Amino acid sequence: MSSNQRFVVIGGGLAAAKLAEALRANDFDGQVTVLAGEEELPYERPPLSKQHLAGTQQLPDFTVDQAAWYRDHHIDLRLGTTATAFDARAKTVTLPDESTLSYDKLALATGSRPRTLKVPGADAPNVYTLRTIGDSDVLAQVLRTEQRLVIIGAGWIGLEVAAQARARGVDVTVLESAPLPLIGALGPEMGAFYADVHRAHGVDLRTDTTVEAILTDDGNATGVQFGDGEVVPAQAVLIAVGAAPNIEAAIAAGLDYDGGVLVDAALRTSDPDVVAVGDIAEQQHPVLGRSVRVEHWATALNQPAVAALTMLGKSAAYDRLPYFFSDQYDVGMEYTGYVGRGDDVRVVVRGDLDEREFVAFWLDPQHRVKAGMNVNVWDVTDRIKQLILSGEPVDPERLANPDIPL
């Protein structure tokens, strides 16, 4: 492509950095401008609720590329610059000072933001969310100084923070509106497993709860009130009730969307000159045969290589299976595949739940493997992928028998 072309990336996280890398790796010698809303160089987010919160990693450890890389590869990285809008017809991006930046191809890597609660007291200064390095720094200080934390939401972020807080001896109460933690992601069997793990480590896990208000005294949160009037005391509150994709600019520009920005197998939006990656991309997945939006690290890491090829006019398709991981206490896990809410599946366990060393498989009614989760069992991810991609039925009894090779 001609060196006088300009490709613009809106976003400043892992996906944006990897897009810039991929464009240069594919010999694009035109202008690449990355509009990064945060003041920090693009970084990875999983450590924010894991190693960074534990104090074992600092920001340079999980920064994607150092400043010299952007300079050496002639990337126009604009930190602290959030694009306010873009005009797909005029091919311009509006900057905070209301000036515009023209583009030939545009990549949306705008990520997501924490959902909040619309209850009294949610804006108190000691009520927190976790999304940025700044959030993680503040929360780490809270865990060092406060002794009673209430976490609203038993998803991945809430449970990982709970594990870090308990490691510091903090009293932790986790409130979840569903009957079990992680039930939307893992279903009831594995949700019950994680409930047992956290209760065994001293977490006061309460499910089927309704938060009525966050009580305050002199402006600071002092407790969380349920719908029935019961109050759980707190010195700090973390709201971890999921994330909302940042798709407002895409909607205003007229791109097709549903839960996220709709993209095809090549990550192309309804505008052929615009791609979308990461948290916001709701892709028609060529292997899964369904529309999926996956808010996990591996998606932000791997989709940009395909999106860059699409921007360069080359044939490409993102066909990797969804993957994510989590570390909580002494329980490490990896999950591969995809099961949607409401899918008709059964769970087959290979190993010992009580010993916290097993592999769980999700099988459809035809006994085909749709997903697998290995817990404290390693080097099996490739085999899980093979079982999913084969599309062949398996014998559930043989699958569950650890004496029979996978």
Side-chain angles (χ1 to χ4, degrees), residues 85-208:
F86 67 93
D87 186 328
R89 183 166 298 183
K91 289 191 173 183
T92 58
V93 176
T94 302
L95 302 178
D97 62 2
E98 298 187 359
S99 65
T100 59
L101 184 69
S102 63
Y103 67 83
D104 294 286
K105 301 286 185 180
L106 178 68
L108 303 178
T110 49
S112 56
R113 61 187 182 277
R115 296 186 186 275
T116 57
L117 290 179
K118 295 181 179 179
V119 298
D123 58 350
N126 58 336
V127 175
Y128 307 99
T129 56
L130 179 55
R131 176 66 185 176
T132 68
I133 184 66
D135 295 337
S136 187
D137 286 340
V138 170
L139 195 56
Q141 178 64 21
V142 168
L143 299 188
R144 288 192 291 267
T145 58
E146 306 295 353
Q147 288 302 307
R148 185 176 290 275
L149 173 68
V150 174
I151 300 173
I152 303 174
W156 296 113
I157 294 294
L159 294 184
E160 288 176 358
V161 172
Q164 295 297 336
R166 290 298 300 136
R168 293 180 178 273
V170 177
D171 290 335
V172 178
T173 300
V174 175
L175 310 178
E176 171 57 48
S177 60
L180 289 164
L182 300 170
I183 193 168
L186 301 180
E189 297 93 340
M190 292 301 107
F193 167 76
Y194 273 101
D196 290 343
V197 167
H198 280 270
R199 286 175 174 142
H201 282 85
V203 172
D204 180 8
L205 173 63
R206 306 193 188 190
T207 57
D208 291 310

